[in-house]
Amino acid sequence: MKKRILIIEDEIKIARVLKLEIEYEGYEVLVEHDGREGLEVALNNNIDLVLLDVMLPGLSGLEVLRRIRKANSHLPIILLTARGSTFDKITGLDYGANDYITKPFEIEEVLARVRSSLRFSSLLQQSKQMDDFQLSIGDLVVNQETREVKREDIDITLTPKEFDLLVYLLKNQNKVVTREAIILTVWGYEYEGETNVVDVYIRHLRKKIEEGFETSIIQTVRGVGYTMRVK
């Protein structure tokens, strides 16, 4: 799927050249010449990067930048600034611009900055997705997507039920969870066995993730259940 780039530039000739060159590189390009209209497009469409002129009618580029950042902290934004406008560059970076290009510019520089910003944005998204899948406590790391479990970078093999139990404890780390709550979540409503199944699986889990390591992670709360915390 093509990356979609929004150009907000009031100088018609510059906007046209940018649009043609960027489209030639394989991107989809939208163009607006007014700050207020450009802001509306940026906020209400799936945009992958914004090329934003500082001097705009309707709403200044810096104000457009500020409002976009208030709604979206991750969208890459490259400012187009006039030569010598140090104030605009500094203010733009303070407002959250990812980069700036000084006019007049070479189109090769623009394309290079666009590629760089999109590449960095993609890496950030990948990192965020990894964080969403990953759970950890101390030196124990669990990837929910791949179902990998590591402690001190040592691979630990768990059964499906042991893994589900570990994930539940990790999601509730530093909280005390009862045996009943564990059974309800990990084994489900239809489970009709004994509640000591939890104790049995906790023992299995402790053997795999604690034996041979210096610190204990799973703590017993007498008369209540279990908690996961690093002492």
Side-chain angles (χ1 to χ4, degrees), residues 1-230:
M1 191 175 188
K2 288 184 177 181
K3 295 289 186 180
R4 180 181 288 179
I5 295 174
L6 170 63
I7 299 170
I8 310 177
E9 167 61 71
D10 66 322
E11 294 187 53
I12 305 298
K13 290 183 179 179
I14 292 178
R16 184 183 299 123
V17 170
L18 285 171
K19 182 175 187 295
L20 289 173
E21 293 289 347
I22 293 172
E23 283 181 335
Y24 185 76
E25 291 292 306
Y27 301 106
E28 181 182 347
V29 180
L30 304 178
V31 177
E32 293 295 336
H33 303 294
D34 176 271
R36 198 171 297 279
E37 293 173 2
L39 176 64
E40 288 296 315
V41 173
L43 295 181
N44 296 298
N45 292 270
N46 292 322
I47 303 298
D48 296 295
L49 182 142
V50 178
L51 281 172
L52 175 62
D53 186 29
V54 171
M55 302 296 292
L56 290 170
L59 204 63
S60 75
L62 292 177
E63 182 59 20
V64 171
L65 168 62
R66 189 187 70 81
R67 295 190 189 188
I68 291 176
R69 273 292 167 260
K70 188 175 181 180
N72 186 330
S73 61
H74 302 296
L75 178 62
I77 301 174
I78 301 175
L79 290 181
L80 304 177
T81 68
R83 184 185 297 276
S85 56
T86 303
F87 173 79
D88 288 340
K89 295 172 186 174
I90 293 173
T91 305
L93 293 173
D94 284 342
Y95 277 12
N98 299 86
D99 203 351
Y100 64 84
I101 300 172
T102 302
K103 296 180 182 180
F105 47 74
E106 297 291 335
I107 194 63
E108 289 79 9
E109 179 187 6
V110 176
L111 295 175
R113 300 288 184 94
V114 166
R115 288 192 297 268
S116 177
S117 292
L118 287 173
R119 186 164 53 247
F120 184 68
S121 175
S122 178
L123 290 172
L124 281 180
Q125 288 298 318
Q126 291 174 21
S127 176
K128 182 179 181 299
Q129 289 171 1
M130 285 296 293
D131 289 341
D132 290 341
F133 289 125
Q134 188 166 287
L135 296 169
S136 65
I137 185 170
D139 53 12
L140 177 72
V141 180
V142 173
N143 188 308
Q144 296 183 85
E145 184 181 37
T146 63
R147 299 182 76 86
E148 291 177 303
V149 179
K150 292 177 181 288
R151 188 164 186 192
E152 294 182 0
D153 287 327
I154 298 172
D155 291 322
I156 298 172
T157 302
L158 301 179
T159 66
K161 196 61 70 178
E162 288 168 349
F163 182 86
D164 293 344
L165 174 57
L166 177 59
V167 166
Y168 179 70
L169 292 173
L170 278 169
K171 287 183 175 179
N172 290 277
Q173 59 184 275
N174 299 314
K175 300 177 184 177
V176 178
V177 290
T178 65
R179 290 171 177 81
E180 291 74 17
I182 293 173
I183 286 176
L184 190 63
T185 304
V186 178
W187 275 265
Y189 290 96
E190 298 179 356
Y191 179 76
E192 296 179 352
E194 299 294 329
T195 57
N196 69 351
V197 69
V198 174
D199 303 310
V200 172
Y201 271 83
I202 288 288
R203 284 199 299 272
H204 293 331
L205 202 52
R206 278 175 167 157
K207 185 173 183 179
K208 292 184 177 182
I209 69 172
E210 293 185 348
E211 283 190 7
F213 299 99
E214 290 186 7
T215 56
S216 298
I217 297 176
I218 303 173
Q219 316 296 329
T220 301
V221 181
R222 292 191 179 279
V224 183
Y226 297 93
T227 184
M228 181 168 269
R229 64 167 65 98
V230 177

